[in-house]
Amino acid sequence: MNPLLHLRDVTRVHGSGATEVHALRGITFSAHAGELVAVMGPSGSGKSTLLTIAGGLDSPTSGAVLVEGTDLVGLDTAGRARMRRTSIGYVFQGYNLVPALTAAENVALPRELDGIGAKQARAEARAALEEVGLGELADRFPDEMSGGQQQRVAIARAVVGERRLILADEPTGALDTETGEEVLRLIRARCDAGAAGVLVTHEARHAAWADRVVFLRDGVVVDETGADPVDVLVHSEASA
Ligand code: ADP
Ligand code: MG
């Protein structure tokens, strides 16, 4: 089966000349439907760059980025934006909700931008909020919710409309342990339901929610393991 996400020999160079930074140096990486892959590595190793390129928020200097078989590199800006609205859900560390919109309006936004009717977008948003256990809070504004609730809204927004690639960059970074685990459980459940997930984390305990763990250092994959917590600890110490 073809992977839902496939990065082939991807490089990303920032700047030029004396200030040139090689954020990614030829990475090949896949995530299949039903699979959650954790990405670990020291600060500056290229984890966020990998994720923004996989999500079409940044473009590689060279290489191919296939999402559901479509190479994002070959698309124009509008085409990439369309892929982001229909195939790719992104969850950031800071929830990135629109403060002036309610939870339901935040979740409906990508669908409305995609041109489906407001009524259907609203119905899908309600269903996605139910899925993350926030059906009751649909009409609240972000500043009327806890951090964990806001991050669950962000997950609902990332999955609404059956998007099948979920990219999460340290999504639990601002949350307490218990709330963080709940957020990871929701991402795991989405992958069990057929999405492909990529989770950037620096905590071995969180990587245990994944099916496998990929370790980056200096823009390359240096190691890979299953998600057994002991293996993750041993490998993260070995590749740090
Ligand atoms: P991580 O998420 O693993 O901490 P990043 O992907 O954010 O790493 O960064 C990888 C490298 O690329 C770092 O050296 C970082 O300083 C550099 N970098 C990232 N974004 C930019 C940018 N927009 N301009 C210049 N350098 C950048
Ligand atoms: Mg980062």
Side-chain angles (χ1 to χ4, degrees), residues 177-220:
T177 308
E178 201 176 314
T179 316
E181 295 286 326
E182 172 62 15
V183 161
L184 296 173
R185 195 186 64 72
L186 291 170
I187 294 173
R188 175 76 256 178
R190 224 348 135 128
C191 294
D192 290 341
V198 184
L199 167 71
V200 169
T201 179
H202 56 261
E203 294 199 50
R205 189 164 45 83
H206 291 169
W209 286 88
D211 298 293
R212 59 196 172 84
V213 188
V214 168
F215 295 90
L216 297 192
R217 193 174 57 203
D218 295 333
V220 290

Side-chain angles (χ1 to χ4, degrees), residues 99-221:
L101 300 182
T102 64
E105 289 166 346
N106 265 283
V107 176
L109 190 58
R111 299 297 284 147
E112 291 194 38
L113 290 173
D114 217 32
I116 73 160
K119 200 172 162 199
Q120 192 192 334
R122 227 27 104 75
E124 289 181 7
R126 298 264 164 187
L129 284 168
E130 294 286 345
E131 181 179 330
V132 301
L134 290 182
E136 311 276 278
L137 304 188
D139 295 322
R140 290 224 190 147
F141 290 93
D143 69 3
E144 299 168 337
M145 291 183 281
S146 70
Q149 289 167 343
Q150 289 183 57
Q151 192 61 307
R152 280 149 69 191
V153 174
I155 290 176
R157 185 183 53 185
V159 302
V160 73
E162 303 298 321
R163 281 173 290 169
R164 292 183 71 212
L165 177 60
I166 309 301
L167 305 172
D169 195 348
E170 309 210 18
T172 63
L175 304 175
D176 63 60
T177 308
E178 201 176 314
T179 316
E181 295 286 326
E182 172 62 15
V183 161
L184 296 173
R185 195 186 64 72
L186 291 170
I187 294 173
R188 175 76 256 178
R190 224 348 135 128
C191 294
D192 290 341
V198 184
L199 167 71
V200 169
T201 179
H202 56 261
E203 294 199 50
R205 189 164 45 83
H206 291 169
W209 286 88
D211 298 293
R212 59 196 172 84
V213 188
V214 168
F215 295 90
L216 297 192
R217 193 174 57 203
D218 295 333
V220 290
V221 175

Side-chain angles (χ1 to χ4, degrees), residues 207-240:
W209 286 88
D211 298 293
R212 59 196 172 84
V213 188
V214 168
F215 295 90
L216 297 192
R217 193 174 57 203
D218 295 333
V220 290
V221 175
V222 290
D223 199 0
E224 192 166 340
T225 176
D228 181 278
V230 176
D231 288 340
V232 173
L233 271 177
V234 169
H235 284 254
S236 45
E237 272 160 33
S239 58

Side-chain angles (χ1 to χ4, degrees), residues 14 21 23 42-50:
H14 292 292
V21 178
S43 178
S45 57
K47 305 182 298 295
S48 293
T49 304
L50 173 76

